[in-house]
């Protein structure tokens, strides 16, 4: 079995060859994790959720978050290496560069990848939709390469739910002479201490449902320096402890409208789409990490006269897991390439390629998050009893994977939104045309017929069978895409 399991940078190079963005500090970032980051990350996970200091000694409300030692260094290592600024730097390769770096972060710490993910989505929304003076004021701060960097956050979900935002969002946006003011509560706010957040709210008088939602930029502090956003409490989570997730109150909070209010739901979806691509990267890197944890143990452990890894049943499992990892990676990297090709498109002017990106991203989020859970469970099984012990960190993977499965929209959301993209935008036809060069023609035709037949079902049946459809379609697409990567010689001679 290959040592590649232990090196996220090595695996990226193996899978992508010359297609990997050049001049990225992937090896150096991985070395930093091995020598310093891994230990910090383990401490943060064991120490639990950060603390909140709500008032200073003079009884002023401050809502400061307090982190275990080393956390800030761990966070800044990624920002410095370019998890955000490289996306906007003409000398770099856009989103492919930042997602490649994200793969390294995700391999070591799924939770830490969240601040980078939501900061990227915030920066993209500001770059595309903020008024010029707002963009000029805030974007450079988010692209800083040193400790002065500002973080972003993406707050949509409210107490009544994250899936049905049209019903759940009660935060109201009021237009005043001095600009917009937001009042309401957000229930799941990751990166709760970010300097900037993009927030879904309903302008006064706007229609009910998702069409009435708009997207706003909300700074943590008001113009006069006082708190603009109040962190009511932090969530006590099973994992992703490297990102503080809180409940946030907006009280007449200063805000800037992004884009046109009637395009709000599209802007919200754009934010989510970029985060879903990151979730795909985080899930696949977690799969690799799980494979590494399984391999490290099975290569040493002896049972019945052989190393575990040499036992036929175990050997077969490792072969299957390697194959599955490559397929999941191919599916994910395709979502990265399509994100990179479409992320500068703006609401109201989306191309067909954008709809292809959407369906592929739904499939990849659905599939890779589920695979990550399965890989983490399997890694625990391979480690036997040790797999269940917190001191070895294997069980952490399962806790992290369960969150990756739920945030950015649980599997139901991916499958149902994917169906909608197929019905309304013919996204499946775009997908099959995209796959044609790599998939067996008859198999492709049969799959297309299967999808078309599903879409023709009555609505209830169509929804009820959405998982069956995605469970067939996602691995089919992943298998075809692995061939694409082999065909373009990225994998030639390296498998
Ligand atoms: C650690 C963590 C951090 C988070 N951070 C953020 C954040 O920073 N910003 C943010 O906006 N949100 C955040 N979330 C919220 C997350 O996006 C939501 O939890 C998620 O979208 C689901 O919403 P919900 O929890 O309200 O579940 P609900 O919407 O109540 O759904 C419950 C279940 O029903 C399913 N379901 C919903 N509709 C249907 C349907 N029509 N058919 C079948 N099944 C359906 C859902 O898929 C889900 O499995 C975070 C969540 C977690 C766990």
């Amino acid at each position: 079995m290959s040592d590649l399991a232990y090196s996220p940078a090595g695996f990226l190079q193996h899978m992508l060859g010359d297609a990997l963005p050049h001049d990225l500090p992937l090896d150096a970032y991985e070395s930093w994790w091995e020598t310093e980051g891994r230990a910090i990350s383990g401490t943060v996970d064991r120490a639990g959720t950060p603390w909140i200091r709500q008032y200073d000694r003079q009884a002023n409300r401050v809502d400061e978050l307090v982190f275990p030692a080393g956390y800030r260094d761990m966070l800044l290592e990624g920002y410095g290496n370019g998890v955000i600024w490289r996306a906007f730097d003409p000398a770099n390769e856009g989103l492919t560069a930042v997602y490649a770096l994200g793969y390294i972060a995700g391999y070591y710490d799924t939770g830490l990848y969240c601040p980078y993910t939501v900061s990227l989505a915030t920066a993209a929304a500001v770059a595309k939709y903020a008024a010029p003076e707002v963009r000029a004021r805030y974007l450079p701060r988010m692209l800083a390469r040193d400790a002065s960097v500002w973080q972003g956050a993406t707050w949509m979900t409210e107490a009544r739910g994250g899936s049905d935002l049209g019903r759940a969002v009660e935060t109201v946006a009021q237009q005043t002479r001095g600009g917009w003011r937001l009042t309401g509560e957000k229930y799941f706010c990751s990166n709760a201490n970010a300097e900037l957040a993009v927030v879904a709210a309903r302008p006064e008088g706007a229609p009910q449902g998702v069409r009435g939602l708009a997207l706003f930029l909300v700074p943590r502090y008001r113009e006069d320096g006082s708190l603009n956003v109040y962190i009511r409490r932090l969530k006590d989570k099973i994992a992703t402890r490297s990102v503080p997730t809180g409940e946030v109150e907006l009280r007449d909070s200063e805000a800037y409208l992004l884009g046109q209010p009637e395009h709000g739901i599209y802007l919200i979806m754009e934010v989510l789409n970029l985060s879903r691509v990151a979730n795909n990267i985080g899930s696949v890197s977690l799969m690799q990490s799980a494979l590494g944890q399984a391999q490290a143990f099975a290569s040493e452990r002896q049972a019945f006269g052989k190393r575990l890894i040499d036992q036929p049943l175990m050997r077969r499992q490792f072969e299957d897991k390697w194959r599955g990892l490559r397929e999941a990676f191919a599916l994910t990297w395709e979502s990265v390439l399509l994100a990179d090709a479409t992320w500068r498109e703006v609401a109201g002017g989306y191309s067909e390629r954008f709809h292809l990106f959407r369906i592929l991203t739904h499939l990849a989020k659905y599939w890779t998050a589920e695979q990550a859970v399965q890989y983490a469970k399997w890694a625990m099984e391979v480690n036997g009893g040790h797999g269940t012990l917190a001191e070895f960190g294997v069980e952490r993977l399962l806790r992290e994977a369960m969150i990756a499965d739920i945030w950015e929209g649980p599997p139901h959301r991916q499958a149902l939104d994917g169906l909608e993209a197929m019905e309304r935008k013919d996204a499946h036809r775009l997908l099959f045309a995209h796959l044609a060069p790599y998939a067996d023609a008859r198999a492709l035709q049969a799959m297309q017929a299967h999808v078309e037949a599903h879409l023709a079902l009555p609505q209830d049946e169509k929804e009820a069978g959405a998982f069956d459809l995605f469970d067939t379609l996602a691995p089919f697409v992943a298998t075809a895409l692995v061939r694409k990567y082999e065909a373009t010689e990225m994998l030639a001679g390296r498998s």
Side-chain angles (χ1 to χ4, degrees):
M1 293 288 162
S2 165
D3 276 355
L4 273 182
Y6 309 128
S7 169
F11 184 69
L12 283 173
Q13 279 143 12
H14 168 80
M15 291 299 291
L16 295 173
D18 287 344
L20 188 63
H22 301 290
D23 302 324
L24 281 182
L26 297 175
D27 291 327
Y29 192 29
E30 177 176 317
S31 295
W32 180 85
W33 274 104
E34 288 293 337
T35 52
E36 296 183 49
R38 197 191 271 280
I40 300 171
S41 169
T43 308
V44 173
D45 180 58
R46 292 302 298 275
T49 302
W51 309 268
I52 183 164
R53 183 186 292 129
Q54 211 123 36
Y55 295 88
D56 68 12
R57 289 186 216 199
Q58 308 309 324
N60 300 307
R61 183 86 185 250
V62 288
D63 291 6
E64 281 171 8
L65 300 192
V66 186
F67 295 94
Y71 176 83
R72 182 96 184 132
D73 296 338
M74 181 169 73
L75 192 67
L76 289 176
E77 191 67 24
Y79 285 117
N81 274 310
V83 288
I84 309 299
W85 63 258
R86 283 179 195 273
F88 298 85
D89 182 27
N92 276 279
E93 300 191 41
L95 292 187
T96 52
V98 301
Y99 285 124
L101 284 162
Y103 191 87
I104 311 276
Y107 179 90
Y108 292 99
D109 190 330
T110 310
L112 190 78
Y113 192 18
C114 176
Y116 305 149
T117 299
V118 291
S119 292
L120 176 68
T122 304
V126 171
K128 288 169 65 176
Y129 296 111
E133 64 281 8
V134 176
R135 184 170 56 233
R137 182 169 175 190
Y138 292 119
L139 190 59
R141 293 172 189 265
M142 301 199 71
L143 305 186
R145 303 177 185 197
D146 56 22
S148 70
V149 67
W150 277 27
Q151 298 197 76
T154 62
W155 302 337
M156 317 295 169
T157 306
E158 300 196 2
R160 294 211 297 165
S163 306
D164 185 1
L165 287 179
R167 169 182 170 273
V169 172
E170 293 177 343
T171 297
V172 174
Q174 190 185 31
Q175 194 167 20
T176 66
R177 275 212 196 147
W180 290 86
R181 298 283 182 273
L182 262 52
T183 300
E185 295 173 4
K186 293 286 167 183
Y187 190 66
F188 271 109
C189 300
S190 289
N191 227 17
N193 58 331
E195 285 83 359
L196 295 168
V198 289
V199 175
R202 194 180 306 280
E204 276 182 330
Q208 291 304 302
V210 285
R211 300 271 159 208
L213 297 180
L215 192 65
F216 294 86
L217 182 70
V218 181
R220 179 160 159 71
Y221 295 101
R222 294 176 188 273
E223 291 274 353
D224 66 7
S226 61
L227 266 188
N228 195 33
V229 166
Y230 298 85
I231 304 172
R232 182 164 56 203
R233 63 184 283 263
L234 292 178
K235 307 283 196 192
D236 189 1
K237 300 175 289 180
I238 59 167
T240 65
R241 290 174 178 154
S242 296
V243 57
T245 302
E247 292 169 19
V248 157
E249 293 173 3
L250 303 163
R251 302 181 193 158
D252 214 22
S253 301
E254 293 173 0
Y256 304 96
L257 177 67
L258 295 173
Q260 299 170 31
E262 58 275 20
H263 285 159
I265 185 58
Y266 298 113
L267 272 59
I268 292 168
M269 295 317 297
E270 285 186 20
V271 164
L272 282 174
N273 283 337
L274 285 186
S275 300
R276 284 169 181 165
V277 176
N279 205 84
N280 304 340
I281 287 281
S283 297
V284 178
S285 57
L286 189 149
M287 288 166 70
Q288 190 195 337
S289 207
L291 187 52
Q293 292 275 14
Q295 191 175 295
F297 185 75
S299 308
E300 299 286 334
R301 186 70 151 190
Q302 298 275 337
F304 302 101
K306 283 183 191 168
R307 297 183 311 162
L308 280 179
I309 206 161
D310 295 326
Q311 300 286 358
L313 176 56
M314 201 61 101
R315 180 177 286 279
R316 170 72 60 83
Q317 285 194 320
F318 273 95
E319 286 164 3
D320 288 348
K321 294 295 178 202
W322 267 108
R323 196 182 56 245
L325 176 64
R326 289 156 54 93
E327 288 169 3
F329 182 86
L331 182 61
T332 288
W333 199 256
E334 201 69 0
S335 73
V336 168
L337 294 180
L338 286 166
D340 194 43
T342 58
W343 73 294
R344 292 197 184 267
E345 292 185 14
V346 289
Y350 296 136
S351 67
E352 283 200 333
R353 210 155 49 151
F354 180 85
H355 300 302
L356 172 63
F357 159 63
R358 264 191 69 196
I359 185 64
L360 205 107
T361 301
H362 286 309
L363 282 166
K365 185 356 177 141
Y366 175 89
W367 186 249
T368 60
E370 171 60 20
Q371 291 304 303
V373 171
Q374 293 306 324
Y375 273 58
K377 168 179 170 283
W378 171 75
M380 287 179 69
E381 290 165 1
V382 171
N383 277 265
H386 295 95
T388 67
L389 302 180
E391 66 203 84
F392 297 116
V394 185
E395 51 74 51
R396 176 180 174 186
L397 293 174
L398 186 59
R399 293 186 279 112
E400 305 276 2
M402 275 313 301
I403 290 187
D405 188 52
I406 289 171
W407 66 12
E408 317 303 357
H412 317 89
R413 201 64 266 132
Q414 306 309 320
L416 295 174
D417 283 0
L419 277 182
E420 191 190 88
M422 294 192 230
E423 284 180 301
R424 292 209 186 156
K425 304 293 177 190
D426 273 343
H428 54 303
R429 298 202 178 122
L430 302 171
L431 179 67
F432 290 122
H434 187 69
L435 295 180
Y438 321 112
D440 172 75
R442 285 172 81 181
L444 194 69
Q445 225 172 14
M447 182 57 75
Q448 183 156 358
H450 178 62
V451 172
E452 302 275 7
H454 191 95
L455 294 176
L457 291 172
Q459 187 63 25
D460 274 12
E461 265 182 72
K462 197 163 34 196
E463 288 191 20
F467 277 9
D468 299 336
L469 184 72
F470 263 51
D471 285 339
T472 319
L473 185 56
F476 177 84
V477 175
T479 310
L481 287 171
V482 161
R483 282 195 214 115
K484 169 190 168 179
Y485 283 65
E486 284 166 345
T488 52
E489 311 235 322
M490 290 172 187
L491 294 169
R494 289 191 288 263
S495 46

